[in-house]
Amino acid sequence: MNLTFCGAAHEVTGSCYFLEACGKKFLVDYGLEQGVDIYESGELPVTAGELDFVLLTHAHIDHSGKLPLLAAQGFGGTIYTTDATHHLCTIMLRDSAHIQEFEAEWKNRKNMRAGKEEFLPLYTIDDAEAILKCFESYKYGEMVSICDGIQARFVDAGHLLGSASIELFITENGVTKKIVFSGDIGNLDQPIIKDPEYIHDADYVIMESTYGDRAHPDRPDYVPSLASLIQKTLDRGGNLVIPSFAVGRTQEMLYFIRQIKEEGLVTGHGDFKVYVDSPLAIEATSIYSDGFRDYYDEEAKELVSKGINPIRFSNLFLAVNSEESKAINYDMEPKVIISASGMCEAGRIKHHLKHNLWRPECTILFVGYQAIGTLGRAIVDGAKSVKLFGEEIDISAEVTVLPGVSGHADINGLIKWVNEFEEKPQRVFICHGEDSVADSFAAKLKSEYGLETYAPYPYAKVDLLSDTIISEGNRTKVKKDTMSNTANIRPNSPYGRLIIAGQRLQAVINHNEGGANKDLAKFADQIIALCDKWDR
């Protein structure tokens, strides 16, 4: 009964856990990394074809975004998740594949002019369509019998429609262990969705720590705060640009703006225009009005029961195709623009930033977490200029953050969540936090709350039957020159596989630290012989 931490270990994004139990090999989550890699990563410990199944906590790309790669590499098992997550993934994974293909096409036009090699997308739309056929969905609280000795149950995590913590029950060698994966734990009192549901018993807990070092500011009344920003920006004759995650945060912003318009909180600008420029966000918005009302909180249910769509209002324009998107920036009337992606790493938001960042009358409003290394983080941290589409863009617009708007629990919410376990788990593994945050949060839970904690590094491996750390994982940080040299390499291309194999070799070397001298010498001889053969 082994657990390997393949992603989001001492990093925030790229969630991925590999488990071996009851003769099965499976994953919990398989997400894309967003922003800069802090620690060297590699391939899964097994090939995609060897995996039996995947459990998925929710649809956000940093938890689900590499699933199509499994299809490209031969996976033929089942992906278990909630109904709403399945529905959102049909939208988000197709969109992610479209972005992969679009950016590859754009880069290849430049590469051809420069005489460079072809850039291949990480995966294709065909790969996304193939993986979606593997999904099997369940409701919250429903016990899922996966195979002899393995059962799972999804519990509402309150982070996104359909988001879940996963209770995993494994019986092996006559011993049963309950392992809880927190997924992303939601903030309290978010619009539309319910608060997180607490779990009261577990042997092991794998827990996120995104905000494990800080509390959210005192919760403002979002509606007047947002109304004030809209008023101020439109009064200046500028646009309010909101980089927003297409699923979840966009719908929350629409929820607030509907109320602002209904109560007439912005004056002097009539029925001001609001543009949602993200095909993904537009398509995803349908899930908030069709067939998933059981996921809503009571306030949203009450609006729907009155015949009010909580995220629709007059002068809301939806830009579906690229021509409609481009037209937004030719409309000189002050307006609100909501566009993905939330961290400004891809998609149409980069075009809107190009057209608005340099204008002092405009406002760029961030309403979600910005990971280290992302364009959004650079802007929030006070960059004077950024490069967009090869052009240096001055930042003269007002840059601000809407306080308290977060889909993640803060440090107080995280502590409340873990303290709901009535008996202390054998061990709490701290993941999904920035490098220092994972360590500090683990130390806090241990010193102040008496919990046995461990913040694993990439590819740390644990025997859950004996509660033994088999490997400490890889503490080698990515070198900047390595990052730049490998940024455009597709992992499942021959050269990409070679790069990843080399990273895995380094991880294996690290795992063997402290081994028998005889074995280490033999291992070294084999590596040297391999290098001698291929160093040409």
Side-chain angles (χ1 to χ4, degrees):
M1 194 184 296
N2 292 336
L3 166 64
T4 303
F5 297 87
C6 298
H10 275 81
E11 297 179 348
V12 175
T13 63
S15 177
C16 181
Y17 309 98
F18 171 65
L19 293 102
E20 302 164 280
C22 303
K24 303 294 183 182
K25 298 174 181 178
F26 60 100
L27 300 179
V28 175
D29 288 350
Y30 195 30
L32 276 172
E33 293 181 349
Q34 296 169 309
V36 175
D37 236 350
I38 305 300
Y39 290 91
E40 290 184 355
S41 58
E43 291 182 314
L44 294 173
V46 294
T47 66
E50 293 176 274
L51 290 171
D52 294 289
F53 59 91
V54 178
L55 295 163
L56 178 61
T57 60
H58 66 286
H60 277 150
I61 290 299
D62 64 319
H63 289 255
S64 70
K66 288 180 78 172
L67 290 173
L69 189 59
L70 294 182
Q73 296 175 337
F75 174 74
T78 302
I79 298 172
Y80 299 93
T81 192
T82 65
D83 297 333
T85 295
H86 180 190
H87 188 90
L88 287 173
C89 280
T90 64
I91 303 166
M92 296 181 74
L93 294 182
R94 288 178 180 134
D95 183 75
S96 178
H98 172 76
I99 290 172
Q100 298 285 343
E101 291 188 339
F102 177 82
E103 293 201 341
E105 181 183 349
W106 177 75
K107 288 177 181 177
N108 281 328
R109 287 198 297 269
K110 294 181 67 177
N111 286 357
M112 286 180 64
R113 292 193 293 268
K116 295 181 179 179
E117 292 184 6
E118 181 184 10
F119 177 90
L120 296 174
L122 180 64
Y123 50 76
T124 67
I125 290 174
D126 286 344
D127 297 330
E129 294 292 351
I131 203 65
L132 287 169
K133 294 176 182 177
C134 299
F135 275 68
E136 192 172 296
S137 56
Y138 294 85
K139 297 188 181 301
Y140 289 138
E142 190 174 354
M143 187 65 79
V144 185
S145 294
I146 296 171
C147 62
D148 286 345
I150 301 179
Q151 293 180 301
R153 184 164 56 202
F154 298 97
V155 177
D156 193 346
H159 172 68
L160 174 73
L161 217 65
S163 65
S165 300
I166 298 176
E167 296 177 296
L168 182 63
F169 304 85
I170 300 178
T171 301
E172 192 172 68
N173 299 332
V175 178
T176 298
K177 296 290 183 181
K178 180 180 177 182
I179 308 145
V180 170
F181 294 84
S182 74
D184 284 350
I185 301 166
N187 201 357
L188 299 176
D189 300 321
Q190 294 186 84
I192 306 174
I193 63 175
K194 298 175 182 177
D195 287 347
E197 183 178 344
Y198 298 106
I199 300 171
H200 302 293
D201 63 288
D203 294 296
Y204 295 100
V205 175
I206 294 84
M207 181 181 181
E208 68 117 325
S209 59
T210 307
Y211 282 87
D213 64 339
R214 58 203 183 278
H216 297 317
D218 289 341
R219 182 181 178 88
D221 189 337
Y222 294 137
V223 170
S225 298
L226 180 58
S228 176
L229 281 169
I230 295 172
Q231 182 77 60
K232 180 170 60 172
T233 305
L234 299 188
D235 286 348
R236 290 196 301 245
N239 298 323
L240 176 66
V241 179
I242 307 177
S244 179
F245 298 100
V247 180
R249 195 52 43 78
T250 290
Q251 290 74 31
E252 290 176 13
M253 291 299 105
L254 295 177
Y255 187 92
F256 296 144
I257 294 171
R258 181 200 62 78
Q259 189 174 342
I260 288 168
K261 288 197 167 205
E262 182 183 82
E263 298 178 9
L265 299 180
V266 172
T267 60
H269 300 281
D271 190 12
F272 60 89
K273 295 179 181 178
V274 178
Y275 287 90
V276 173
D277 185 22
S278 166
L280 170 59
I282 293 164
E283 193 172 355
T285 296
S286 67
I287 194 176
Y288 288 81
S289 54
D290 298 331
F292 289 92
R293 295 180 186 179
D294 287 345
Y295 288 86
Y296 296 173
D297 64 13
E298 292 306 313
E299 186 177 353
K301 282 182 181 177
E302 185 177 350
L303 287 171
V304 172
S305 69
K306 294 177 180 177
I308 299 171
N309 187 319
I311 53 177
R312 293 279 184 170
F313 44 81
S314 60
N315 255 2
L316 172 63
F317 299 92
L318 309 176
V320 177
N321 58 49
S322 59
E323 292 306 311
E324 291 169 338
S325 175
K326 291 174 184 176
I328 295 172
N329 290 304
Y330 294 111
D331 178 3
M332 294 297 103
E333 185 177 346
K335 55 196 168 292
V336 176
I337 303 169
I338 304 173
S339 184
S341 69
M343 295 187 193
C344 307
E345 284 295 278
R348 297 178 179 181
I349 187 60
K350 295 175 80 171
H351 293 276
H352 296 299
L353 292 174
K354 179 181 177 180
H355 284 275
N356 291 276
L357 269 174
W358 57 272
R359 298 174 58 196
E361 67 270 25
C362 294
T363 301
I364 313 300
L365 173 63
F366 288 90
V367 293
Y369 180 80
Q370 304 299 307
I372 289 176
T374 61
L375 176 60
R377 181 65 170 260
I379 295 170
V380 167
D381 284 349
K384 301 301 182 184
S385 66
V386 293
K387 186 168 284 190
L388 291 166
F389 307 106
E391 183 179 348
E392 197 73 23
I393 305 295
D394 180 59
I395 300 179
S396 296
E398 178 183 355
V399 175
T400 189
V401 176
L402 192 60
V405 176
S406 175
H408 286 268
D410 66 2
I411 187 170
N412 298 316
L414 294 174
I415 289 171
K416 176 174 173 53
W417 186 87
V418 76
N419 278 338
E420 287 291 322
F421 290 95
E422 293 171 356
E423 292 188 13
K424 291 176 182 176
Q426 285 180 245
R427 198 183 293 262
V428 179
F429 297 97
I430 305 300
C431 300
H432 290 277
E434 292 177 3
D435 194 11
S436 61
V437 174
D439 286 331
S440 66
F441 186 63
K444 183 180 183 68
L445 292 185
K446 186 169 188 175
S447 64
E448 297 183 24
Y449 298 94
L451 292 165
E452 189 62 38
T453 59
Y454 181 72
Y457 286 84
Y459 297 90
K461 186 174 182 179
V462 183
D463 182 336
L464 298 177
L465 277 181
S466 63
D467 191 21
T468 302
I469 308 297
I470 298 173
S471 167
E472 295 283 349
N474 177 26
R475 299 189 182 207
T476 305
K477 291 194 174 184
V478 175
K479 296 179 181 178
K480 289 185 178 180
D481 57 347
T482 302
M483 288 161 47
S484 61
N485 290 339
T486 62
N488 292 338
I489 298 171
R490 186 184 183 191
N492 60 342
S493 70
Y495 186 63
R497 290 182 61 209
L498 184 61
I499 291 292
I500 292 172
Q503 294 171 344
R504 185 179 176 190
L505 176 60
Q506 181 61 59
V508 172
I509 291 171
N510 294 341
H511 296 170
N512 277 272
E513 182 180 2
N517 288 337
K518 180 180 178 182
D519 292 337
L520 294 179
K522 182 178 179 181
F523 189 15
D525 289 342
Q526 291 171 341
I527 294 172
I528 291 167
L530 189 65
C531 291
D532 289 343
K533 177 180 178 181
W534 288 96
D535 189 12
R536 56 193 183 189

